[in-house]
Amino acid sequence: MADIKTPLLDELEKGPWMSFVTQLKELAKKKPMVRDVLGLLETSYEEKRGHWKHGGIVGVQGYGGGVIGRYTDIPDKFPEVTEFHTMRINQPSGWFYTTDALRQLCDLWDKWGSGLTNFHGSTGDIILLGTTTENLQPAFDEFSEAGWDLGGSGSDLRTPSCCCGPARCEYACIDTLDICYELTMAYQDELHRPMWPYKFKIKISGCANDCVAAIARADLSIIGTWRDAMKVDSAKVKEYADAGMDIQAEVVEKCPTDACSWDGSEFKVNNEDCVRCMHCINKMPKALRPGDDRGATILIGGKATILQSAFLSWVIVPFMKMEPPYDEIKELLENIWEWWDEHGKMRERVGELIYRLGMRNFLKAVGLEPVPQMVYQPRANPYFFWWPEEVED
């Protein structure tokens, strides 16, 4: 590192935790591209402005997505990062890897790219940071031969992702791993060939704890739930109380719909009022369990700020059975995509389109009936406007 000075980045190595700067410096000893990454980042810190520019059409044969073109705006100063393209690799469901698979992945990227990785991007993909246009095709060819595929980028279906589900979690109400794999395999064209107004994300959580943050980040959220009675083991509830838990304060009073009660000896759940939020189960996991009639709640519209402010998803299907080959959710997805593709503006996410044209128009277009679970709070006015074709003379 004698040929480049990074006094500002050096400050990031002084804390108690491992620093990415240290790792960059180590990799820079054998990768000139990484050395220039350090120099470019130091320059950005000095000038308080970024020097990456996003853009340029790069890719591999047959794929419209999966490769993100990146360049620096000062290539004369840092020629090794004149091109610094990112490849997105489709992750396995639930991010389960063998060590052999990870070593293979890293060896291939060390051969064709900078060696820098991000496990994982916010969409879920394995992010491989930094290669040249010349290396993209041979890199993809070797990844493909080894069984890896590109993820989504651009105005297409982004790589579906899910929590670990039934593989490791006792709360999972659906097989998140199988659903994620099935949707990924079914929609390869939508994943690899950008053809929509903007991106579309699907995230799948096994329960309402939502460990992949689908409700805040996914255009379509699939959240595991149940619709029969919650299982209550009264003896175990008593054990929690005997151990010192204040069930009234910690569980009952924090129930969002006042669906549970505790009289000092018996814990009851009014299942008609319960919204399956998981709070009481999280607090007393040995005593409470989801019911047996399991499926998923489907929500739409979550996203970060783009044309409109950030949106949290809202419910469109309170309960859907999730059984292979998942035809019901596939039909709903395809109806949503058809309507969005026809009416959406450039860079308009599906939630923003619904905001612009109205939930009423959306529900009619995709064939869903209005249900109370879609309503956040009652309207201020008492009027309901019927569709013209529904009005009798």
Side-chain angles (χ1 to χ4, degrees):
M1 297 306 297
D3 58 340
I4 185 170
K5 304 297 182 183
T6 57
L8 295 176
L9 291 179
D10 294 346
E11 292 294 316
L12 298 179
E13 296 184 274
K14 295 179 179 179
W17 310 110
M18 181 182 292
S19 171
F20 77 95
V21 175
T22 304
Q23 295 175 316
L24 286 175
K25 288 179 178 179
E26 189 66 27
L27 191 55
K29 294 175 182 177
K30 64 174 184 177
K31 292 282 188 178
M33 180 179 274
V34 179
R35 180 200 62 214
D36 276 9
V37 167
L38 280 165
L40 188 70
L41 186 56
E42 180 73 17
T43 301
S44 294
Y45 278 32
E46 291 171 354
E47 299 179 3
K48 296 182 174 61
R49 60 182 293 263
H51 284 288
W52 291 112
K53 57 181 184 179
H54 184 296
I57 303 300
V58 290
V60 298
Q61 292 181 359
Y63 284 66
V67 179
I68 303 166
R70 287 207 171 95
Y71 310 83
T72 178
D73 62 2
I74 46 176
D76 52 331
K77 191 171 181 180
F78 300 105
E80 293 293 337
V81 290
T82 299
E83 298 172 341
F84 195 76
H85 308 317
T86 291
M87 296 184 75
R88 285 179 171 164
I89 302 296
N90 197 328
Q91 82 283 1
S93 293
W95 302 286
F96 285 101
Y97 302 91
T98 64
T99 52
D100 286 343
L102 289 174
R103 289 184 186 279
Q104 177 191 61
L105 188 81
C106 291
D107 287 345
L108 288 174
W109 190 237
D110 197 46
K111 176 181 178 180
W112 294 109
S114 69
L116 296 176
T117 64
N118 174 7
F119 281 76
H120 297 81
S122 61
T123 295
D125 293 303
I126 305 158
I127 306 298
L128 305 180
L129 297 156
T131 191
T132 62
T133 304
E134 181 183 24
N135 284 350
L136 284 172
Q137 190 65 48
F140 168 74
D141 291 342
E142 285 208 40
F143 279 116
S144 183
E145 288 170 9
W148 301 95
D149 198 5
L150 290 183
S153 72
S155 298
D156 62 9
L157 174 63
R158 297 300 177 87
T159 315
S161 65
C162 66
C163 68
C164 63
R168 292 188 64 188
C169 182
E170 60 190 322
Y171 295 151
C173 295
I174 52 176
D175 190 340
T176 58
L177 308 170
D178 189 55
I179 296 167
C180 185
Y181 179 79
E182 175 64 26
L183 294 180
T184 301
M185 298 305 291
Y187 295 114
Q188 288 293 294
D189 278 356
E190 289 78 5
L191 186 59
H192 293 306
R193 292 165 183 84
M195 53 188 171
W196 289 336
Y198 202 25
K199 57 190 172 185
F200 192 98
K201 297 181 179 181
I202 301 172
K203 297 186 186 297
I204 307 150
S205 289
C207 73
N209 285 324
D210 193 12
C211 290
V212 291
I215 291 171
R217 302 191 298 151
D219 298 273
L220 188 99
S221 303
I222 301 173
I223 309 293
T225 189
W226 68 97
R227 61 180 172 183
D228 57 344
M230 185 189 301
K231 297 177 181 178
V232 179
D233 185 330
S234 298
K236 294 292 184 182
V237 174
K238 188 174 186 305
E239 287 182 15
Y240 279 105
D242 292 343
M245 175 182 281
D246 187 342
I247 294 175
Q248 181 65 31
E250 296 183 44
V251 181
V252 174
E253 292 178 7
K254 292 186 178 180
C255 176
T257 56
D258 296 326
C260 51
S261 62
W262 167 250
D263 62 6
S265 60
E266 186 178 9
F267 183 84
K268 293 182 179 179
V269 178
N270 182 345
N271 288 286
E272 291 186 357
D273 289 340
C274 176
V275 290
R276 283 69 173 167
C277 74
M278 297 292 294
H279 171 71
C280 59
I281 295 177
N282 291 336
K283 297 299 291 186
M284 299 190 295
K286 295 179 181 179
L288 307 176
R289 278 288 185 271
D292 292 323
D293 188 5
R294 300 180 180 188
T297 296
I298 313 301
L299 302 96
I300 192 113
K303 68 173 192 68
T305 299
I306 304 176
L307 300 180
Q308 298 283 344
S309 64
F311 289 175
L312 291 177
S313 304
W314 56 93
V315 173
I316 54 172
V317 180
F319 187 87
M320 180 185 290
K321 293 295 282 187
M322 301 298 292
E323 298 170 345
Y326 310 109
D327 288 335
E328 190 174 0
I329 189 65
K330 289 177 182 176
E331 181 182 358
L332 177 59
L333 271 169
E334 290 162 19
N335 288 341
I336 291 169
W337 290 338
E338 183 178 0
W339 179 74
W340 175 47
D341 197 33
E342 181 177 353
H343 298 284
K345 298 179 180 180
M346 185 66 67
R347 289 180 61 83
E348 185 174 48
R349 299 280 286 272
V350 68
E352 293 169 324
L353 176 60
I354 294 170
Y355 182 84
R356 178 165 63 87
L357 296 185
M359 177 62 80
R360 188 163 169 264
N361 286 299
F362 167 75
L363 294 176
K364 184 179 182 183
V366 301
L368 292 175
E369 291 293 327
V371 293
Q373 288 89 340
M374 298 174 182
V375 179
Y376 173 64
Q377 62 187 24
R379 291 194 311 237
N381 68 74
Y383 301 106
F384 182 86
F385 297 96
W386 301 90
W387 292 106
E389 62 267 26
E390 294 175 337
V391 177
E392 295 181 0
D393 293 333

